[in-house]
Amino acid sequence: MAFDFTNGFHDTANAMATSIATGALKPRTAVLVSGILNIVGAFLSTDVAKTISGGIVDDTLVSPATIFAGLVGAILWNLLTWLAGLPSSSSHALFGGLIGAVWVGAGSHGVHFDKVVDKVLIPAVASPVVAGVAALVATYLAYKLSARPRQDSVTRGFRLGQIASASLVSLAHGTNDAQKTMGVITLTLISAGALGHDAGPPVWVIGAAGLAIGLGTYLDGWRIIRTMGKGLAEIRSPQGFAAETASTTVILTSAHLGFALSTTQVASGSILGAGLGRRLAEVRWGVAGRMVLAWLITLPAAALVGGLAASVVKHGGDLGTAVIALVALALAGAIVAASRRNPVGADNVNDHHEVTVRTPAPTNVGTAA
Protein backbone atom coordinates (compact mmCIF):
# COMPACT_ATOMS: atom_id res chain seq x y z
CA MET A 1 0.00 0.00 0.00
CA ALA A 2 2.87 2.39 0.76
CA PHE A 3 4.41 1.69 -2.64
CA ASP A 4 1.02 2.15 -4.33
CA PHE A 5 0.62 5.49 -2.56
CA THR A 6 4.02 6.70 -3.80
CA ASN A 7 3.16 5.38 -7.27
CA GLY A 8 0.05 7.57 -7.20
CA PHE A 9 1.75 10.89 -6.47
CA HIS A 10 4.76 9.96 -8.57
CA ASP A 11 2.57 9.36 -11.63
CA THR A 12 -0.16 12.01 -11.29
CA ALA A 13 1.73 14.00 -13.89
CA ASN A 14 1.22 11.28 -16.50
CA ALA A 15 -2.43 12.21 -16.81
CA MET A 16 -2.77 15.80 -15.69
CA ALA A 17 0.51 17.67 -16.25
CA THR A 18 -0.38 19.03 -19.71
CA SER A 19 -3.97 19.89 -18.73
CA ILE A 20 -2.69 21.88 -15.75
CA ALA A 21 0.06 23.54 -17.82
CA THR A 22 -2.38 24.69 -20.54
CA GLY A 23 -5.06 25.82 -18.09
CA ALA A 24 -7.62 23.24 -19.24
CA LEU A 25 -8.14 22.20 -15.63
CA LYS A 26 -7.43 23.89 -12.32
CA PRO A 27 -4.69 22.05 -10.41
CA ARG A 28 -6.80 20.81 -7.50
CA THR A 29 -9.67 19.80 -9.79
CA ALA A 30 -7.26 17.92 -12.05
CA VAL A 31 -5.74 15.77 -9.30
CA LEU A 32 -9.17 15.06 -7.77
CA VAL A 33 -10.53 13.83 -11.11
CA SER A 34 -7.37 11.82 -11.70
CA GLY A 35 -7.54 10.18 -8.27
CA ILE A 36 -11.16 9.11 -8.69
CA LEU A 37 -10.58 7.70 -12.17
CA ASN A 38 -7.49 5.82 -10.98
CA ILE A 39 -9.75 3.99 -8.52
CA VAL A 40 -12.30 3.23 -11.23
CA GLY A 41 -9.58 2.04 -13.62
CA ALA A 42 -8.30 -0.45 -11.06
CA PHE A 43 -11.46 -2.53 -11.53
CA LEU A 44 -11.34 -2.73 -15.33
CA SER A 45 -8.69 -5.43 -15.82
CA THR A 46 -6.34 -7.80 -13.97
CA ASP A 47 -4.09 -8.99 -16.83
CA VAL A 48 -1.11 -6.88 -15.71
CA ALA A 49 -1.56 -8.03 -12.10
CA LYS A 50 -1.26 -11.65 -13.24
CA THR A 51 1.96 -10.77 -15.09
CA ILE A 52 3.43 -9.51 -11.81
CA SER A 53 2.12 -12.29 -9.52
CA GLY A 54 3.00 -15.20 -11.78
CA GLY A 55 5.18 -13.87 -14.57
CA ILE A 56 8.51 -12.22 -13.82
CA VAL A 57 9.44 -14.27 -10.73
CA ASP A 58 8.82 -17.85 -9.61
CA ASP A 59 6.10 -17.56 -6.96
CA THR A 60 7.06 -20.94 -5.46
CA LEU A 61 10.48 -19.57 -4.46
CA VAL A 62 9.34 -16.22 -3.06
CA SER A 63 8.69 -15.41 0.61
CA PRO A 64 6.80 -12.43 2.06
CA ALA A 65 10.08 -11.15 3.55
CA THR A 66 11.68 -11.16 0.09
CA ILE A 67 8.76 -9.20 -1.35
CA PHE A 68 9.06 -6.70 1.51
CA ALA A 69 12.73 -6.17 0.71
CA GLY A 70 11.92 -5.57 -2.96
CA LEU A 71 9.27 -3.02 -2.09
CA VAL A 72 11.73 -1.09 0.07
CA GLY A 73 13.95 -0.58 -2.97
CA ALA A 74 10.99 0.56 -5.10
CA ILE A 75 9.62 2.99 -2.50
CA LEU A 76 12.96 4.68 -1.81
CA TRP A 77 13.67 5.13 -5.52
CA ASN A 78 10.18 6.59 -6.06
CA LEU A 79 10.72 9.11 -3.26
CA LEU A 80 14.22 10.06 -4.41
CA THR A 81 13.16 10.76 -8.01
CA TRP A 82 10.03 12.57 -6.79
CA LEU A 83 12.27 14.87 -4.72
CA ALA A 84 14.30 15.68 -7.84
CA GLY A 85 11.15 16.13 -9.93
CA LEU A 86 12.28 13.38 -12.31
CA PRO A 87 9.50 11.43 -14.05
CA SER A 88 11.23 8.07 -13.71
CA SER A 89 9.31 4.81 -13.90
CA SER A 90 7.76 3.67 -10.64
CA SER A 91 6.85 0.48 -12.49
CA HIS A 92 10.49 -0.27 -13.27
CA ALA A 93 11.39 0.62 -9.68
CA LEU A 94 8.98 -2.09 -8.56
CA PHE A 95 10.29 -4.63 -11.08
CA GLY A 96 13.89 -3.82 -10.18
CA GLY A 97 13.28 -4.09 -6.44
CA LEU A 98 11.53 -7.45 -6.82
CA ILE A 99 14.14 -8.85 -9.22
CA GLY A 100 17.03 -7.83 -6.96
CA ALA A 101 15.35 -9.19 -3.83
CA VAL A 102 14.35 -12.51 -5.41
CA TRP A 103 17.78 -12.95 -6.98
CA VAL A 104 19.47 -12.57 -3.58
CA GLY A 105 16.78 -14.42 -1.64
CA ALA A 106 16.16 -17.39 -3.96
CA GLY A 107 18.92 -17.33 -6.57
CA SER A 108 18.94 -16.26 -10.20
CA HIS A 109 16.66 -19.16 -11.16
CA GLY A 110 13.90 -17.44 -9.19
CA VAL A 111 13.68 -14.72 -11.86
CA HIS A 112 12.05 -15.47 -15.23
CA PHE A 113 14.39 -13.38 -17.36
CA ASP A 114 12.61 -14.34 -20.60
CA LYS A 115 9.38 -12.85 -19.21
CA VAL A 116 11.29 -9.78 -18.00
CA VAL A 117 12.53 -9.19 -21.54
CA ASP A 118 9.17 -9.87 -23.23
CA LYS A 119 6.85 -8.16 -20.75
CA VAL A 120 9.05 -5.37 -19.33
CA LEU A 121 12.18 -4.46 -21.31
CA ILE A 122 10.80 -4.58 -24.87
CA PRO A 123 7.69 -2.51 -23.94
CA ALA A 124 10.00 -0.09 -22.08
CA VAL A 125 11.91 0.63 -25.29
CA ALA A 126 8.99 0.52 -27.73
CA SER A 127 6.20 2.26 -25.83
CA PRO A 128 7.65 5.81 -25.51
CA VAL A 129 8.75 5.73 -29.16
CA VAL A 130 5.32 4.60 -30.38
CA ALA A 131 3.56 7.15 -28.16
CA GLY A 132 5.94 9.92 -29.23
CA VAL A 133 5.46 9.28 -32.94
CA ALA A 134 1.68 9.07 -32.50
CA ALA A 135 1.63 12.35 -30.57
CA LEU A 136 3.89 14.05 -33.14
CA VAL A 137 1.59 13.07 -36.03
CA ALA A 138 -1.55 13.96 -34.05
CA THR A 139 -0.12 17.39 -33.13
CA TYR A 140 0.82 18.14 -36.73
CA LEU A 141 -2.67 17.18 -37.93
CA ALA A 142 -4.35 19.15 -35.14
CA TYR A 143 -2.56 22.36 -36.14
CA LYS A 144 -3.07 21.67 -39.83
CA LEU A 145 -6.82 21.15 -39.48
CA SER A 146 -7.33 24.09 -37.11
CA ALA A 147 -5.28 26.68 -39.00
CA ARG A 148 -8.27 28.59 -40.44
CA PRO A 149 -10.66 29.01 -37.47
CA ARG A 150 -10.16 31.73 -34.86
CA GLN A 151 -7.40 30.73 -32.50
CA ASP A 152 -9.34 31.56 -29.33
CA SER A 153 -12.08 29.16 -30.47
CA VAL A 154 -9.47 26.51 -31.28
CA THR A 155 -7.85 26.89 -27.87
CA ARG A 156 -11.19 26.69 -26.08
CA GLY A 157 -12.20 23.59 -28.05
CA PHE A 158 -8.96 21.75 -27.41
CA ARG A 159 -9.07 22.61 -23.71
CA LEU A 160 -12.49 20.95 -23.50
CA GLY A 161 -11.02 17.99 -25.39
CA GLN A 162 -8.15 17.86 -22.91
CA ILE A 163 -10.57 17.34 -20.02
CA ALA A 164 -11.81 14.18 -21.72
CA SER A 165 -8.40 12.97 -22.88
CA ALA A 166 -6.73 13.59 -19.50
CA SER A 167 -9.55 11.72 -17.79
CA LEU A 168 -8.98 8.78 -20.11
CA VAL A 169 -5.26 8.76 -19.25
CA SER A 170 -6.16 8.62 -15.55
CA LEU A 171 -8.53 5.75 -16.20
CA ALA A 172 -5.84 3.96 -18.20
CA HIS A 173 -3.26 4.62 -15.48
CA GLY A 174 -5.48 2.95 -12.90
CA THR A 175 -5.98 0.03 -15.27
CA ASN A 176 -2.22 -0.43 -15.66
CA ASP A 177 -0.38 0.84 -12.58
CA ALA A 178 -2.82 -0.05 -9.80
CA GLN A 179 -2.60 -3.63 -11.04
CA LYS A 180 1.10 -3.78 -10.26
CA THR A 181 0.44 -3.47 -6.54
CA MET A 182 -2.45 -5.92 -6.87
CA GLY A 183 0.04 -8.34 -8.41
CA VAL A 184 2.52 -7.86 -5.57
CA ILE A 185 -0.12 -8.41 -2.87
CA THR A 186 -1.42 -11.46 -4.73
CA LEU A 187 2.14 -12.77 -5.01
CA THR A 188 2.52 -12.31 -1.23
CA LEU A 189 -0.72 -14.18 -0.56
CA ILE A 190 0.36 -17.01 -2.87
CA SER A 191 3.80 -17.23 -1.21
CA ALA A 192 2.12 -17.41 2.23
CA GLY A 193 -0.29 -20.14 1.10
CA ALA A 194 -3.40 -17.96 1.37
CA LEU A 195 -4.10 -18.26 -2.37
CA GLY A 196 -3.51 -21.03 -4.87
CA HIS A 197 -0.83 -21.01 -7.56
CA ASP A 198 -1.70 -18.71 -10.52
CA ALA A 199 -4.63 -17.17 -8.59
CA GLY A 200 -5.89 -13.74 -9.58
CA PRO A 201 -6.27 -10.82 -7.15
CA PRO A 202 -9.30 -10.97 -4.81
CA VAL A 203 -11.82 -8.12 -4.95
CA TRP A 204 -10.60 -6.62 -1.66
CA VAL A 205 -7.06 -6.44 -3.06
CA ILE A 206 -8.33 -4.65 -6.19
CA GLY A 207 -10.25 -2.14 -4.08
CA ALA A 208 -7.39 -1.50 -1.63
CA ALA A 209 -4.85 -1.00 -4.42
CA GLY A 210 -7.18 1.35 -6.31
CA LEU A 211 -7.85 3.42 -3.18
CA ALA A 212 -4.14 3.71 -2.28
CA ILE A 213 -3.09 4.88 -5.74
CA GLY A 214 -6.08 7.23 -5.91
CA LEU A 215 -5.16 8.89 -2.60
CA GLY A 216 -1.54 9.24 -3.64
CA THR A 217 -2.62 10.78 -6.94
CA TYR A 218 -4.68 13.43 -5.17
CA LEU A 219 -2.31 14.38 -2.36
CA ASP A 220 1.14 15.27 -3.69
CA GLY A 221 2.36 14.96 -7.27
CA TRP A 222 3.21 18.59 -7.91
CA ARG A 223 6.98 18.29 -8.30
CA ILE A 224 6.78 15.90 -11.24
CA ILE A 225 3.71 17.69 -12.66
CA ARG A 226 5.90 20.79 -13.00
CA THR A 227 8.63 18.88 -14.84
CA MET A 228 6.28 17.16 -17.28
CA GLY A 229 3.93 20.10 -17.79
CA LYS A 230 6.53 22.85 -18.12
CA GLY A 231 9.96 21.24 -18.16
CA LEU A 232 10.01 18.93 -21.19
CA ALA A 233 8.44 21.12 -23.85
CA GLU A 234 6.38 24.23 -24.41
CA ILE A 235 2.86 22.77 -24.52
CA ARG A 236 -0.35 24.35 -25.80
CA SER A 237 -3.86 22.92 -25.80
CA PRO A 238 -3.76 21.09 -29.18
CA GLN A 239 -0.46 19.48 -28.17
CA GLY A 240 -1.80 18.50 -24.76
CA PHE A 241 -4.85 16.87 -26.34
CA ALA A 242 -2.66 14.99 -28.84
CA ALA A 243 -0.23 13.80 -26.14
CA GLU A 244 -2.97 12.58 -23.81
CA THR A 245 -4.82 10.78 -26.59
CA ALA A 246 -1.64 9.01 -27.71
CA SER A 247 -0.82 8.01 -24.13
CA THR A 248 -4.30 6.60 -23.53
CA THR A 249 -4.18 4.49 -26.68
CA VAL A 250 -0.79 2.97 -25.88
CA ILE A 251 -1.52 2.32 -22.18
CA LEU A 252 -4.92 0.68 -22.73
CA THR A 253 -3.57 -1.49 -25.55
CA SER A 254 -0.68 -2.69 -23.38
CA ALA A 255 -2.99 -3.38 -20.41
CA HIS A 256 -5.17 -5.53 -22.67
CA LEU A 257 -2.08 -7.48 -23.78
CA GLY A 258 -0.77 -7.85 -20.21
CA PHE A 259 2.35 -5.72 -20.78
CA ALA A 260 3.43 -4.06 -17.52
CA LEU A 261 4.84 -0.97 -19.21
CA SER A 262 5.78 2.33 -17.63
CA THR A 263 2.99 4.87 -17.98
CA THR A 264 5.55 7.54 -17.10
CA GLN A 265 7.67 6.67 -20.13
CA VAL A 266 4.58 6.60 -22.36
CA ALA A 267 3.38 10.01 -21.16
CA SER A 268 6.86 11.53 -21.41
CA GLY A 269 7.30 10.20 -24.94
CA SER A 270 3.93 11.64 -25.90
CA ILE A 271 4.81 15.08 -24.51
CA LEU A 272 8.13 15.13 -26.38
CA GLY A 273 6.37 14.05 -29.57
CA ALA A 274 3.77 16.77 -29.12
CA GLY A 275 6.55 19.32 -28.60
CA LEU A 276 8.26 18.26 -31.82
CA GLY A 277 4.96 18.25 -33.71
CA ARG A 278 4.41 22.00 -33.39
CA ARG A 279 6.60 24.21 -35.50
CA LEU A 280 9.08 26.33 -33.53
CA ALA A 281 7.99 24.81 -30.21
CA GLU A 282 10.66 24.77 -27.51
CA VAL A 283 11.85 21.31 -26.46
CA ARG A 284 14.18 21.24 -23.45
CA TRP A 285 16.59 18.48 -24.35
CA GLY A 286 18.61 18.87 -21.15
CA VAL A 287 15.59 17.89 -19.05
CA ALA A 288 14.79 15.07 -21.49
CA GLY A 289 18.35 13.78 -21.20
CA ARG A 290 18.22 13.70 -17.38
CA MET A 291 14.88 11.92 -17.58
CA VAL A 292 16.20 9.24 -19.95
CA LEU A 293 19.22 8.73 -17.69
CA ALA A 294 16.83 8.17 -14.77
CA TRP A 295 14.96 5.61 -16.90
CA LEU A 296 18.16 3.71 -17.62
CA ILE A 297 19.31 3.45 -14.01
CA THR A 298 15.90 2.96 -12.34
CA LEU A 299 15.67 -0.81 -12.67
CA PRO A 300 19.29 -1.61 -11.68
CA ALA A 301 19.29 0.97 -8.86
CA ALA A 302 16.08 -0.39 -7.35
CA ALA A 303 17.40 -3.94 -7.85
CA LEU A 304 20.56 -3.04 -5.94
CA VAL A 305 18.62 -1.63 -2.98
CA GLY A 306 16.17 -4.53 -3.07
CA GLY A 307 19.05 -7.01 -3.15
CA LEU A 308 20.82 -5.35 -0.21
CA ALA A 309 17.59 -5.28 1.78
CA ALA A 310 16.93 -8.94 0.94
CA SER A 311 20.42 -9.90 2.11
CA VAL A 312 19.85 -8.25 5.50
CA VAL A 313 16.41 -9.84 5.80
CA LYS A 314 17.69 -13.27 4.73
CA HIS A 315 20.57 -13.37 7.22
CA GLY A 316 19.01 -11.29 10.00
CA GLY A 317 15.54 -12.83 10.19
CA ASP A 318 12.93 -10.78 12.05
CA LEU A 319 15.61 -8.46 13.46
CA GLY A 320 16.96 -7.82 9.96
CA THR A 321 13.45 -7.08 8.71
CA ALA A 322 12.93 -4.59 11.55
CA VAL A 323 16.27 -2.90 10.82
CA ILE A 324 15.41 -2.52 7.12
CA ALA A 325 11.99 -1.10 8.01
CA LEU A 326 13.51 1.49 10.38
CA VAL A 327 16.23 2.49 7.90
CA ALA A 328 13.63 2.85 5.13
CA LEU A 329 11.41 5.02 7.35
CA ALA A 330 14.35 7.23 8.32
CA LEU A 331 15.44 7.71 4.70
CA ALA A 332 11.86 8.38 3.57
CA GLY A 333 11.45 10.98 6.32
CA ALA A 334 14.70 12.68 5.32
CA ILE A 335 13.59 12.87 1.66
CA VAL A 336 10.21 14.36 2.59
CA ALA A 337 11.92 16.88 4.88
CA ALA A 338 14.28 17.88 2.06
CA SER A 339 11.29 18.50 -0.24
CA ARG A 340 9.96 21.08 2.20
CA ARG A 341 12.98 23.33 1.60
CA ASN A 342 11.64 24.28 -1.79
CA PRO A 343 8.02 23.08 -1.96
CA VAL A 344 5.95 22.81 -5.13
CA GLY A 345 2.17 22.90 -4.76
CA ALA A 346 -1.05 23.72 -6.56
CA ASP A 347 -0.43 27.45 -6.14
CA ASN A 348 3.01 27.53 -7.81
CA VAL A 349 3.16 24.42 -10.02
CA ASN A 350 3.10 26.50 -13.23
CA ASP A 351 5.46 29.23 -12.02
CA HIS A 352 8.63 27.64 -13.36
CA HIS A 353 9.82 24.70 -15.45
CA GLU A 354 12.50 23.46 -13.04
CA VAL A 355 12.31 21.61 -9.74
CA THR A 356 15.10 22.41 -7.28
CA VAL A 357 15.89 20.59 -4.06
CA ARG A 358 17.85 23.27 -2.24
CA THR A 359 16.48 26.65 -1.37
CA PRO A 360 17.95 29.21 -3.80
CA ALA A 361 20.53 31.55 -2.27
CA PRO A 362 19.18 35.05 -1.65
CA THR A 363 20.14 37.63 -4.20
CA ASN A 364 22.01 40.61 -2.77
CA VAL A 365 20.81 43.81 -4.32
CA GLY A 366 23.19 46.69 -3.73
CA THR A 367 22.58 50.39 -4.35
CA ALA A 368 25.17 52.73 -5.71
CA ALA A 369 26.10 55.59 -3.45
Side-chain angles (χ1 to χ4, degrees), residues 107-130:
S108 60
H109 58 283
V111 181
H112 297 153
F113 288 102
D114 55 336
K115 293 288 185 68
V116 172
V117 173
D118 291 343
K119 297 288 188 178
V120 178
L121 297 182
I122 291 177
V125 175
S127 59
V129 175
V130 171

mmCIF file of all heavy atoms in Angstrom, residues 107-130:
data_model
loop_
_atom_site.group_PDB
_atom_site.id
_atom_site.type_symbol
_atom_site.label_atom_id
_atom_site.label_comp_id
_atom_site.label_asym_id
_atom_site.label_seq_id
_atom_site.Cartn_x
_atom_site.Cartn_y
_atom_site.Cartn_z
ATOM 1 N N GLY A 107 18.006 -16.966 -5.499
ATOM 2 C CA GLY A 107 18.921 -17.326 -6.570
ATOM 3 C C GLY A 107 18.418 -16.836 -7.914
ATOM 4 O O GLY A 107 17.239 -16.495 -8.073
ATOM 5 N N SER A 108 19.296 -16.803 -8.894
ATOM 6 C CA SER A 108 18.940 -16.259 -10.204
ATOM 7 C C SER A 108 17.837 -17.052 -10.894
ATOM 8 O O SER A 108 17.091 -16.513 -11.710
ATOM 9 C CB SER A 108 20.177 -16.211 -11.112
ATOM 10 O OG SER A 108 20.718 -17.520 -11.287
ATOM 11 N N HIS A 109 17.713 -18.357 -10.543
ATOM 12 C CA HIS A 109 16.663 -19.159 -11.163
ATOM 13 C C HIS A 109 15.272 -18.761 -10.679
ATOM 14 O O HIS A 109 14.267 -19.227 -11.229
ATOM 15 C CB HIS A 109 16.901 -20.656 -10.889
ATOM 16 C CG HIS A 109 16.968 -20.999 -9.431
ATOM 17 N ND1 HIS A 109 18.077 -20.737 -8.659
ATOM 18 C CD2 HIS A 109 16.060 -21.579 -8.603
ATOM 19 C CE1 HIS A 109 17.855 -21.138 -7.424
ATOM 20 N NE2 HIS A 109 16.639 -21.653 -7.357
ATOM 21 N N GLY A 110 15.196 -17.921 -9.661
ATOM 22 C CA GLY A 110 13.899 -17.436 -9.191
ATOM 23 C C GLY A 110 13.318 -16.335 -10.059
ATOM 24 O O GLY A 110 12.151 -15.957 -9.899
ATOM 25 N N VAL A 111 14.127 -15.793 -10.966
ATOM 26 C CA VAL A 111 13.680 -14.715 -11.863
ATOM 27 C C VAL A 111 13.486 -15.282 -13.267
ATOM 28 O O VAL A 111 14.373 -15.949 -13.800
ATOM 29 C CB VAL A 111 14.710 -13.568 -11.909
ATOM 30 C CG1 VAL A 111 14.214 -12.446 -12.823
ATOM 31 C CG2 VAL A 111 14.977 -13.037 -10.509
ATOM 32 N N HIS A 112 12.324 -15.033 -13.857
ATOM 33 C CA HIS A 112 12.049 -15.471 -15.231
ATOM 34 C C HIS A 112 12.536 -14.381 -16.194
ATOM 35 O O HIS A 112 11.778 -13.495 -16.582
ATOM 36 C CB HIS A 112 10.555 -15.727 -15.422
ATOM 37 C CG HIS A 112 10.014 -16.827 -14.573
ATOM 38 N ND1 HIS A 112 8.697 -16.890 -14.175
ATOM 39 C CD2 HIS A 112 10.624 -17.921 -14.028
ATOM 40 C CE1 HIS A 112 8.514 -17.969 -13.434
ATOM 41 N NE2 HIS A 112 9.665 -18.608 -13.332
ATOM 42 N N PHE A 113 13.802 -14.465 -16.566
ATOM 43 C CA PHE A 113 14.385 -13.384 -17.362
ATOM 44 C C PHE A 113 13.768 -13.291 -18.757
ATOM 45 O O PHE A 113 13.731 -12.207 -19.344
ATOM 46 C CB PHE A 113 15.903 -13.574 -17.456
ATOM 47 C CG PHE A 113 16.621 -13.295 -16.169
ATOM 48 C CD1 PHE A 113 17.061 -14.329 -15.355
ATOM 49 C CD2 PHE A 113 16.834 -11.993 -15.750
ATOM 50 C CE1 PHE A 113 17.715 -14.071 -14.163
ATOM 51 C CE2 PHE A 113 17.483 -11.721 -14.561
ATOM 52 C CZ PHE A 113 17.919 -12.765 -13.763
ATOM 53 N N ASP A 114 13.272 -14.423 -19.290
ATOM 54 C CA ASP A 114 12.609 -14.342 -20.596
ATOM 55 C C ASP A 114 11.341 -13.515 -20.515
ATOM 56 O O ASP A 114 11.036 -12.713 -21.412
ATOM 57 C CB ASP A 114 12.298 -15.739 -21.123
ATOM 58 C CG ASP A 114 11.473 -16.571 -20.146
ATOM 59 O OD1 ASP A 114 11.529 -16.278 -18.929
ATOM 60 O OD2 ASP A 114 10.763 -17.493 -20.598
ATOM 61 N N LYS A 115 10.596 -13.660 -19.404
ATOM 62 C CA LYS A 115 9.385 -12.853 -19.210
ATOM 63 C C LYS A 115 9.745 -11.390 -18.950
ATOM 64 O O LYS A 115 9.025 -10.484 -19.369
ATOM 65 C CB LYS A 115 8.571 -13.399 -18.039
ATOM 66 C CG LYS A 115 7.978 -14.782 -18.281
ATOM 67 C CD LYS A 115 6.831 -14.698 -19.266
ATOM 68 C CE LYS A 115 6.164 -16.062 -19.423
ATOM 69 N NZ LYS A 115 5.452 -16.492 -18.206
ATOM 70 N N VAL A 116 10.842 -11.159 -18.247
ATOM 71 C CA VAL A 116 11.286 -9.778 -17.998
ATOM 72 C C VAL A 116 11.566 -9.072 -19.321
ATOM 73 O O VAL A 116 11.172 -7.923 -19.532
ATOM 74 C CB VAL A 116 12.544 -9.760 -17.102
ATOM 75 C CG1 VAL A 116 13.116 -8.349 -17.001
ATOM 76 C CG2 VAL A 116 12.213 -10.299 -15.713
ATOM 77 N N VAL A 117 12.234 -9.775 -20.232
ATOM 78 C CA VAL A 117 12.530 -9.193 -21.544
ATOM 79 C C VAL A 117 11.250 -8.947 -22.331
ATOM 80 O O VAL A 117 11.022 -7.848 -22.866
ATOM 81 C CB VAL A 117 13.486 -10.108 -22.338
ATOM 82 C CG1 VAL A 117 13.653 -9.591 -23.766
ATOM 83 C CG2 VAL A 117 14.839 -10.174 -21.652
ATOM 84 N N ASP A 118 10.371 -9.955 -22.400
ATOM 85 C CA ASP A 118 9.166 -9.870 -23.227
ATOM 86 C C ASP A 118 8.151 -8.878 -22.677
ATOM 87 O O ASP A 118 7.549 -8.106 -23.434
ATOM 88 C CB ASP A 118 8.499 -11.244 -23.350
ATOM 89 C CG ASP A 118 9.325 -12.205 -24.183
ATOM 90 O OD1 ASP A 118 10.218 -11.740 -24.921
ATOM 91 O OD2 ASP A 118 9.089 -13.430 -24.093
ATOM 92 N N LYS A 119 7.943 -8.919 -21.355
ATOM 93 C CA LYS A 119 6.849 -8.157 -20.752
ATOM 94 C C LYS A 119 7.278 -6.815 -20.174
ATOM 95 O O LYS A 119 6.431 -5.966 -19.896
ATOM 96 C CB LYS A 119 6.203 -8.987 -19.637
ATOM 97 C CG LYS A 119 5.547 -10.273 -20.109
ATOM 98 C CD LYS A 119 4.259 -9.988 -20.868
ATOM 99 C CE LYS A 119 3.497 -11.278 -21.161
ATOM 100 N NZ LYS A 119 2.219 -11.008 -21.851
ATOM 101 N N VAL A 120 8.590 -6.612 -19.975
ATOM 102 C CA VAL A 120 9.049 -5.375 -19.334
ATOM 103 C C VAL A 120 10.011 -4.585 -20.218
ATOM 104 O O VAL A 120 9.759 -3.427 -20.546
ATOM 105 C CB VAL A 120 9.715 -5.679 -17.968
ATOM 106 C CG1 VAL A 120 10.231 -4.388 -17.338
ATOM 107 C CG2 VAL A 120 8.738 -6.378 -17.039
ATOM 108 N N LEU A 121 11.131 -5.211 -20.632
ATOM 109 C CA LEU A 121 12.177 -4.457 -21.313
ATOM 110 C C LEU A 121 11.778 -4.033 -22.735
ATOM 111 O O LEU A 121 12.001 -2.873 -23.121
ATOM 112 C CB LEU A 121 13.469 -5.275 -21.351
ATOM 113 C CG LEU A 121 14.090 -5.595 -19.984
ATOM 114 C CD1 LEU A 121 15.393 -6.354 -20.151
ATOM 115 C CD2 LEU A 121 14.312 -4.315 -19.182
ATOM 116 N N ILE A 122 11.201 -4.952 -23.509
ATOM 117 C CA ILE A 122 10.796 -4.584 -24.867
ATOM 118 C C ILE A 122 9.721 -3.498 -24.854
ATOM 119 O O ILE A 122 9.835 -2.488 -25.570
ATOM 120 C CB ILE A 122 10.335 -5.833 -25.651
ATOM 121 C CG1 ILE A 122 11.540 -6.743 -25.926
ATOM 122 C CG2 ILE A 122 9.661 -5.434 -26.963
ATOM 123 C CD1 ILE A 122 11.197 -8.039 -26.629
ATOM 124 N N PRO A 123 8.651 -3.616 -24.031
ATOM 125 C CA PRO A 123 7.694 -2.506 -23.942
ATOM 126 C C PRO A 123 8.326 -1.204 -23.452
ATOM 127 O O PRO A 123 7.910 -0.120 -23.869
ATOM 128 C CB PRO A 123 6.654 -3.021 -22.941
ATOM 129 C CG PRO A 123 6.730 -4.499 -23.042
ATOM 130 C CD PRO A 123 8.173 -4.802 -23.288
ATOM 131 N N ALA A 124 9.352 -1.303 -22.584
ATOM 132 C CA ALA A 124 10.002 -0.090 -22.078
ATOM 133 C C ALA A 124 10.683 0.682 -23.196
ATOM 134 O O ALA A 124 10.705 1.921 -23.187
ATOM 135 C CB ALA A 124 11.026 -0.461 -21.008
ATOM 136 N N VAL A 125 11.248 -0.027 -24.163
ATOM 137 C CA VAL A 125 11.910 0.633 -25.286
ATOM 138 C C VAL A 125 10.895 1.094 -26.329
ATOM 139 O O VAL A 125 10.976 2.214 -26.854
ATOM 140 C CB VAL A 125 12.938 -0.330 -25.939
ATOM 141 C CG1 VAL A 125 13.531 0.303 -27.191
ATOM 142 C CG2 VAL A 125 14.041 -0.674 -24.944
ATOM 143 N N ALA A 126 9.916 0.237 -26.618
ATOM 144 C CA ALA A 126 8.993 0.524 -27.725
ATOM 145 C C ALA A 126 7.914 1.530 -27.372
ATOM 146 O O ALA A 126 7.557 2.379 -28.207
ATOM 147 C CB ALA A 126 8.345 -0.781 -28.192
ATOM 148 N N SER A 127 7.392 1.475 -26.152
ATOM 149 C CA SER A 127 6.196 2.264 -25.832
ATOM 150 C C SER A 127 6.398 3.781 -25.923
ATOM 151 O O SER A 127 5.560 4.477 -26.511
ATOM 152 C CB SER A 127 5.654 1.872 -24.459
ATOM 153 O OG SER A 127 6.612 2.072 -23.442
ATOM 154 N N PRO A 128 7.502 4.361 -25.374
ATOM 155 C CA PRO A 128 7.647 5.810 -25.513
ATOM 156 C C PRO A 128 7.881 6.251 -26.951
ATOM 157 O O PRO A 128 7.461 7.346 -27.343
ATOM 158 C CB PRO A 128 8.846 6.150 -24.621
ATOM 159 C CG PRO A 128 9.586 4.878 -24.451
ATOM 160 C CD PRO A 128 8.567 3.792 -24.532
ATOM 161 N N VAL A 129 8.533 5.387 -27.745
ATOM 162 C CA VAL A 129 8.749 5.728 -29.157
ATOM 163 C C VAL A 129 7.430 5.735 -29.912
ATOM 164 O O VAL A 129 7.118 6.669 -30.664
ATOM 165 C CB VAL A 129 9.740 4.731 -29.803
ATOM 166 C CG1 VAL A 129 9.872 5.006 -31.294
ATOM 167 C CG2 VAL A 129 11.097 4.800 -29.123
ATOM 168 N N VAL A 130 6.622 4.684 -29.710
ATOM 169 C CA VAL A 130 5.316 4.604 -30.378
ATOM 170 C C VAL A 130 4.424 5.773 -29.960
ATOM 171 O O VAL A 130 3.797 6.428 -30.796
ATOM 172 C CB VAL A 130 4.630 3.258 -30.049
ATOM 173 C CG1 VAL A 130 3.194 3.245 -30.555
ATOM 174 C CG2 VAL A 130 5.419 2.101 -30.645
#
